[in-house]
Amino acid sequence: MHLPHQRRPLHDLPDTPQAYDAVLSDVTEQALARLTPEGSLEHPDAHDDIGDTSLGITSLLALAWQRGKDPRLPEAVRRSLAFHLRERVHTRDNPGYPNLRVTDSGLPHARYVREAGAHPIGDWPSTVWALLQAVNVLDAADGLLGDDQRTALTRAAHGHWRWLTEATFFNPQEAGNQAIGCVVGGLMLARHLPGDRGEPVRSRALALYTEEIHDRRIPDRGALLPPEHGGAYDNNYGPISLSFLAQAHRISGEEVFAEDGDTLARYLDARLTSGGFDIGGPRYGEQHSGFESVLGLRYFGRRTGTDLGRYRGDTLWGRHAVQRDGRIDGHFAFMLVWQIQDTTRWHRTPATVPVRHQLRSGTVSVAFDGRMTPSLIEAAGTYYLPAAVRRRHGFGPVTDGFLLCRPMGEVRVRDVRAHGLAAKLVTQPVVGRDHVLRHVRSLYVTDGTALWVTVAVERLGGAPYLLSGLPYAADDGDRVRRVAEGEVASAGTLRLVHPTESGPDHFDARAELTQEQAAFALAADPRGYGNPDEGWRHLVGSSALEAGPAPGTPEGLHVFAVRYGPGGAFAPLLENGEQGLTVRTEAFTAVLGDPAGDASGEPGLTLNV
């Protein structure tokens, strides 16, 4: 089976002016065929996210008219705008909406679904999206809209802003992408208001960003990130936040948006594999956005010199939102407008400066979590997740069922690049069940094709092994395919084990079940509202690679050696001497220095072919 959402890297989609004109031409033909006598451009199957969809297509038609002056479009724009102002702008409180600060305000807002009182919780983001569609239409209004419609749309947009910032609590879903989107709406709206009304809107938007978003960022892997549905980063919404930050910087020039965007972009680059696969988040564990991410990935990829376009997006939504029949839905169309208007081109080469939470070269990558334990390994097109044993998750030595990968003190990291190799040495002080402090030294070396992992720790009791990952997915052309095995070699014994117990808290990689589905089954709340990252932490056991100790281990140590990816015979030689632990493989010789021998306590690492 294929994973449903992660498909092609987004930079594979053509983004020339000609390509975008072809997209707009297709949108035009679909829209003109769909336009109802009432002026609606909504997809006939649209049910939720309804408050901005017709207006979104209107904004695309307005942009198409700007670029091509198709004589059929002005009438369609005016009719569809009249429909939106008449049928999709509400001034009465939605029954049951829980986040009002002022009742019966009479301020205009959008609804998530048509029916009054039906799922009102989505009205805040729907009003943000309607505001953004509206300001895009206003941007294209010259020569297209009459004074009456322009005035009515401006009044509605200003009312949306006031409803979002006065009548309701700001950002009630604690969703960074929605909150930054609201700020962008205010910044764009301010340009269409007279100075005495526009400047207060701009100032309020900037203050909201500083106080409600920037100052409340959440730390993860050494970065401060806009909060997203209760977490720091989400695979679907994080790149969308990046797009909103790009648009905020484009239209305002305020450096805070550039700086926060650079931080988020570098964080995303560090957690993203070479192949563009990623997993995890507080809302959608595996679902990836499509066109909604392009602006931010392209804009900040260029700014930071990183190839963020390798992100495997959902290319079913590669150009715009669609319904199940593949026909256009106007939801989030403002992102397509902005990416067409932006002239930034993709940066396609990887950054070469080593970063703490990533090792990457060629087609090999390791993304590290905040403990400097691998959160995702990629080699030979296969992706490995942290495995689980007795409720403990990660990569690392296991003794008596206890996984040694949670640091009890400062984690030291040393990066070395030499002779075409990239290496990272991670030293973690850990404590086991016996309360004995041990230093786990984990060496990761890659030549861009294979990954060698060597883990050394003071000698353990029992029958220890190295928990070496859960084979989960592999590249398959334009798709990502579920797998239950990978190309792995071990100096010692190597076992691929699967849970002997069944149930949602035991994940068997051979089953046709995605990680996201399993995580939501363990989450406290229903799918779509629960936290899959939190749910996954309840996993008791999973399929796992277990590597036994390497033969010839020096006295007083247990050393484990594993190679991910292609290669011939794998029989590393290990020797402990005055300089430290020497590891000789078929591809390199590495010396892991003793931290006690360094004046600053830093681990030493030398690397030779």
Side-chain angles (χ1 to χ4, degrees):
M1 61 174 286
H2 288 107
L3 299 181
H5 298 291
Q6 298 198 43
R7 300 169 189 266
R8 295 168 60 190
L10 289 180
H11 64 203
D12 286 354
L13 294 172
D15 65 342
T16 62
Q18 295 76 21
Y20 281 132
D21 282 336
V23 172
L24 290 174
S25 176
D26 176 59
V27 168
T28 294
E29 298 307 321
Q30 286 196 52
L32 293 176
R34 176 183 298 174
L35 185 65
T36 68
E38 297 78 20
S40 173
L41 288 170
E42 292 166 0
H43 190 286
D45 295 335
H47 172 68
D48 53 18
D49 278 316
I50 202 70
D52 71 305
T53 56
S54 182
L55 187 61
I57 296 182
T58 302
S59 73
L60 291 173
L61 296 182
L63 179 63
W65 180 81
Q66 270 192 329
R67 292 166 69 91
K69 295 299 187 289
D70 186 328
R72 300 173 297 170
L73 293 181
E75 177 62 20
V77 168
R78 293 164 193 153
R79 282 177 57 195
S80 60
L81 178 56
F83 166 81
H84 175 80
L85 292 170
R86 184 179 67 248
E87 303 292 341
R88 294 294 176 257
V89 178
H90 300 268
T91 55
R92 292 183 178 179
D93 294 349
N94 198 355
Y97 185 71
N99 299 315
L100 291 176
R101 301 177 62 185
V102 179
T103 59
D104 300 321
S105 67
L107 292 170
H109 56 276
R111 288 183 178 174
Y112 180 67
V113 296
R114 295 187 188 94
E115 298 81 7
H119 202 70
I121 198 71
D123 289 0
W124 203 87
S126 289
T127 303
V128 174
W129 313 150
L131 168 61
L132 293 169
Q133 314 283 26
V135 292
N136 278 345
V137 175
L138 289 172
D139 281 352
D142 288 347
L144 188 60
L145 299 183
D147 290 342
D148 289 348
Q149 275 198 321
R150 185 199 292 252
T151 299
L153 183 58
T154 303
R155 185 182 300 117
H158 194 191
H160 287 345
W161 170 256
R162 292 188 59 200
W163 187 84
L164 291 163
T165 60
E166 298 174 22
T168 71
F169 290 96
F170 184 79
N171 191 20
Q173 295 185 21
E174 297 183 354
N177 76 100
Q178 298 172 11
I180 305 171
C182 183
V183 168
V184 171
L187 294 172
M188 296 183 71
L189 171 66
R191 304 184 302 178
H192 293 284
L193 299 175
D196 60 337
R197 289 195 295 158
E199 184 52 37
V201 171
R202 175 185 166 85
S203 298
R204 176 68 170 146
L206 294 174
L208 283 170
Y209 182 78
T210 298
E211 297 165 9
E212 301 291 340
I213 304 168
H214 176 83
D215 291 351
R216 298 188 180 188
R217 290 174 300 164
I218 297 175
D220 186 41
R221 307 186 194 192
L224 288 173
L225 308 174
E228 189 57 65
H229 285 92
Y233 179 84
D234 182 272
N235 279 318
N236 183 45
Y237 294 121
I240 294 175
S241 285
L242 197 63
S243 288
F244 282 129
L245 288 168
Q247 180 66 0
H249 186 244
R250 288 181 66 235
I251 63 174
S252 74
E254 295 289 337
E255 276 304 300
V256 66
F257 299 120
E259 292 166 0
D260 290 358
D262 289 348
T263 298
L264 177 55
R266 292 189 178 101
Y267 167 89
L268 195 157
D269 177 59
R271 68 175 290 151
L272 204 60
T273 58
S274 295
F277 179 80
D278 192 14
I279 199 164
R283 185 70 182 267
Y284 294 110
E286 293 185 51
Q287 182 169 324
H288 271 43
S289 47
F291 75 101
E292 315 100 308
S293 301
V294 168
L295 175 64
L297 296 170
R298 198 172 64 192
Y299 190 84
F300 285 105
R302 174 64 59 179
R303 275 185 55 90
T304 59
T306 52
D307 57 334
L308 296 181
R310 70 187 192 275
Y311 174 93
R312 279 189 176 270
D314 188 342
T315 50
L316 291 180
W317 280 35
R319 296 302 194 184
H320 46 67
V322 298
Q323 290 286 338
R324 292 184 178 181
D325 60 4
R327 292 189 294 167
I328 187 171
D329 185 300
H331 180 52
F332 249 68
F334 47 82
M335 284 294 191
L336 178 57
V337 171
W338 299 341
Q339 66 171 273
I340 292 175
Q341 293 171 337
D342 179 51
T343 58
T344 305
R345 298 278 68 86
W346 289 110
H347 180 91
R348 295 181 177 274
T349 56
T352 57
V353 177
V355 295
R356 181 177 176 89
H357 293 91
Q358 179 198 65
L359 176 68
R360 181 183 173 204
S361 178
T363 60
V364 173
S365 55
V366 185
F368 295 87
D369 63 19
R371 304 175 316 214
M372 287 306 298
T373 297
S375 62
L376 191 57
I377 286 177
E378 171 193 19
T382 299
Y383 303 102
Y384 302 84
L385 307 181
V389 55
R390 296 189 186 180
R391 298 188 185 276
R392 291 168 180 84
H393 302 198
F395 290 79
V398 176
T399 177
D400 296 328
F402 191 89
L403 175 61
L404 299 171
C405 73
R406 282 156 185 77
M408 184 71 73
E410 190 66 26
V411 178
R412 309 295 184 107
V413 178
R414 175 66 61 90
D415 282 280
V416 172
R417 291 177 182 256
H419 313 295
L421 301 171
K424 187 184 294 285
L425 174 62
V426 178
T427 301
Q428 295 174 310
V430 299
V431 175
R433 290 190 193 277
D434 55 8
H435 297 272
V436 174
L437 181 69
R438 293 178 171 85
H439 291 83
V440 177
R441 289 178 288 170
S442 302
L443 174 66
Y444 306 86
V445 181
T446 179
D447 61 358
T449 301
L451 172 71
W452 290 263
V453 179
T454 306
V455 178
V457 63
E458 289 89 345
R459 197 155 192 87
L460 302 166
Y465 61 88
L466 182 72
L467 193 64
S468 302
L470 157 65
Y472 178 70
D475 292 339
D476 187 15
D478 289 346
R479 301 295 300 275
V480 178
R481 175 174 48 89
R482 281 279 283 106
V483 298
E485 58 186 8
E487 189 175 4
V488 182
S490 171
T493 59
L494 183 66
R495 305 179 296 271
L496 176 58
V497 301
H498 301 287
T500 57
E501 300 179 50
S502 59
D505 53 0
H506 291 82
F507 186 81
D508 192 325
R510 298 169 298 182
E512 290 195 359
L513 187 71
T514 68
Q515 188 269 355
E516 181 181 82
Q517 291 170 328
F520 270 116
L522 295 170
D525 299 307
R527 188 185 186 283
Y529 298 95
N531 183 333
D533 276 359
E534 181 181 325
W536 189 250
R537 284 193 288 269
H538 294 296
L539 193 69
V540 173
S542 73
S543 299
L545 288 162
E546 298 178 353
T553 297
E555 185 178 355
L557 292 177
H558 266 123
V559 181
F560 309 88
V562 176
R563 184 186 64 209
Y564 300 82
F570 182 55
L573 299 176
L574 308 167
E575 181 182 355
N576 214 7
E578 292 183 1
Q579 300 301 315
L581 176 65
T582 299
V583 180
R584 292 187 176 88
T585 73
E586 72 281 14
F588 64 89
T589 297
V591 180
L592 287 59
D594 186 350
D598 184 87
S600 61
E602 293 294 332
L605 175 62
T606 58
L607 192 64
N608 290 289
V609 173

